[in-house]
Amino acid sequence: MECLNDPNIDLAVIDQFYTNFAEPSNLAEIRVQVDKFIESVGTGPLVLITSGGTIVPIEHNTVRFVDNFSAGTRGSASAEYFLKKNYKVIFLYRLKSCEPFTRHFNMSQLLESLSISDSGLLEVNSPLGEKLSQIVKDYKQQKENLLLVTFTTLAEYLYYLREISFAVKPLGSRAALYLAAAVSDFYIPQTNMATHKIQSKDGPISLCLEIVPKILRPLVKFWVPAAFVVSFKLETDASILLDKARKALHRYGHHLVIANELQSRKREVILVTEKENQKITIDDSEMEIESLIVDEVVTRHKNYIEMGRNVEKLI
Ligand code: 9Z3
């Protein structure tokens, strides 16, 4: 355990951990897309948002897997608010979880709102019509500023997160990471995994899941050392939430932990920094808490960039 305190060993432990998983076959292709997107950033800010839950397969030819509750609401809503604040957004999200813009309606609502006129033209009816035209406008205006990358498994998430972090590193403090995905803390090493669908005729099974090391540590220290990093801490027991959030802040040395409790996460969060705890609540059901969270994060990110400039001037 001692060796984990040595920053160099830390990286070696994580690199070793990655070898438990096969590299996604499209990793290089994703890197090309991300690099191209980053070229378009100019001198403005960029945020990498992670969103949705990861799956942990229990068979190589996966029929069954361990999943979690995350719907990707926090990440997808936040992406839209960052775009409104003129950020370029890389949205790394779980396939089939909520996406920016399309999250506002589902396919049946869309079909329900469409009709075909006598002349054969497709028409959109109220009440979705008005909402839809605003969403279409916003989407068309922002689509060049948004890059979508999907993952499904924990392994894909881990590889993409590391690769995209390497790609955004040169942006220095202009890059922010907003880690809202609900990432599994447990995994099954490939060597312990059944190749084919496990047969029920063989009787009950027990699963032994190993602990996923905390990759926030190498991420903050090595992958994106100058970026502004925001993580989320989720608990179901409110009495341990703040303590766990503060411990995460100290352990990883990043800038902000946003603490939320499962049941109240859409109405209340607490921003935890070295100096203070700031509670954000909403009671107006029309409002999304993400708009207030993103306001705060953007203000803090701007101050962080500015602080870096002032230090540069002094040197
Ligand atoms: C969060 O806490 C997110 O706010 C939610 C959003 C996943 C609760 P939804 O996707 O929910 O809108 O349904 N994300 C981070 C959860 C997490 O696993 N954090 C790790 C931890 O708590 C640290 S990075 O240990």
Side-chain angles (χ1 to χ4, degrees):
M1 272 296 132
E2 246 172 54
C3 64
L4 285 178
N5 293 328
D6 178 335
N8 299 315
I9 304 289
D10 209 1
L11 252 193
V13 168
I14 297 296
D15 287 346
Q16 176 61 33
F17 165 69
Y18 268 69
T19 63
N20 279 302
F21 307 101
E23 189 178 291
S25 56
N26 66 347
L27 189 65
E29 204 180 296
I30 298 284
R31 177 62 188 259
V32 171
Q33 283 174 23
V34 171
D35 283 342
K36 200 167 158 223
F37 183 74
I38 288 174
E39 273 172 29
S40 73
V41 168
T43 55
L46 172 142
V47 63
L48 164 61
I49 299 175
T50 68
S51 182
T54 56
I55 71 157
V56 173
I58 72 168
E59 298 137 340
H60 279 290
N61 292 290
T62 310
V63 173
R64 305 187 188 92
F65 46 81
V66 181
D67 201 353
N68 67 50
F69 71 96
S70 171
T73 311
R74 174 84 81 225
S76 57
S78 301
E80 288 179 23
Y81 293 110
F82 273 109
L83 287 166
K84 281 197 183 133
K85 298 272 182 189
N86 297 321
Y87 273 66
K88 294 272 180 179
V89 175
I90 300 177
F91 188 63
L92 175 60
Y93 74 109
R94 161 77 178 276
L95 187 67
K96 295 187 187 152
S97 69
C98 294
E99 291 175 9
F101 305 110
T102 58
R103 73 186 174 99
H104 296 281
F105 55 88
N106 62 38
M107 283 317 270
S108 1
Q109 285 170 322
L110 183 62
L111 286 178
E112 202 52 53
S113 74
L114 296 177
S115 57
I116 299 171
S117 72
D118 293 345
S119 54
L121 283 177
L122 205 55
E123 286 173 348
V124 188
N125 313 312
S126 291
L128 188 63
E130 275 166 38
K131 191 178 164 194
L132 200 59
S133 53
Q134 188 56 49
I135 296 167
V136 172
K137 252 187 234 159
D138 292 345
Y139 169 73
K140 299 271 182 204
Q141 201 185 343
Q142 295 290 3
K143 66 177 183 174
E144 306 300 330
N145 300 323
L146 174 66
L147 177 69
L148 303 180
V149 181
T150 60
F151 63 82
T152 304
T153 62
L154 171 70
E156 287 167 349
Y157 170 86
L158 292 171
Y159 273 101
Y160 296 150
L161 178 64
R162 186 172 67 175
E163 198 62 34
I164 299 172
S165 298
F166 291 159
V168 303
K169 185 179 179 183
L171 295 178
S173 63
R174 282 191 292 129
L177 277 74
Y178 183 88
L179 305 170
V183 182
S184 178
D185 280 331
F186 306 99
Y187 76 105
I188 303 177
Q190 288 204 329
T191 42
N192 298 356
M193 229 190 266
T195 305
H196 292 291
K197 182 179 170 231
I198 298 169
Q199 298 297 314
S200 58
K201 70 173 171 49
D202 298 335
I205 57 165
S206 357
L207 294 177
C208 178
L209 291 102
E210 303 279 334
I211 300 281
V212 174
K214 299 291 180 194
I215 56 156
L216 206 49
R217 192 172 163 124
L219 179 142
V220 172
K221 263 192 197 154
F222 303 109
W223 301 349
V224 279
F228 186 74
V229 179
V230 180
S231 75
F232 283 78
K233 170 58 75 185
L234 172 74
E235 291 297 341
T236 53
D237 176 355
S239 71
I240 61 168
L241 179 61
L242 282 179
D243 187 46
K244 297 276 301 268
R246 192 153 293 284
K247 279 192 178 132
L249 197 67
H250 288 154
R251 186 169 303 143
Y252 309 123
H254 56 308
H255 307 96
L256 176 63
V257 178
I258 303 183
N260 52 177
E261 191 261 317
L262 184 69
Q263 300 305 336
S264 62
R265 70 188 192 278
K266 295 191 178 174
R267 301 185 309 277
E268 180 177 310
V269 298
I270 301 169
L271 275 54
V272 178
T273 58
E274 277 299 328
K275 288 194 200 127
E276 56 176 9
N277 295 342
Q278 181 187 343
K279 191 184 274 192
I280 297 183
T281 47
I282 50 156
D283 39 28
D284 170 3
S285 59
E286 289 293 298
M287 185 169 208
E288 292 183 305
I289 195 164
E290 287 77 12
S291 74
L292 301 177
I293 299 175
V294 171
D295 275 354
E296 271 301 323
V297 171
V298 167
T299 305
R300 287 159 194 250
H301 183 207
K302 273 191 185 144
N303 290 342
Y304 174 76
I305 297 174
E306 207 43 52
M307 243 166 51
R309 285 203 186 112
N310 291 339
V311 171
E312 268 168 30
K313 274 183 215 153
L314 286 175
I315 294 173

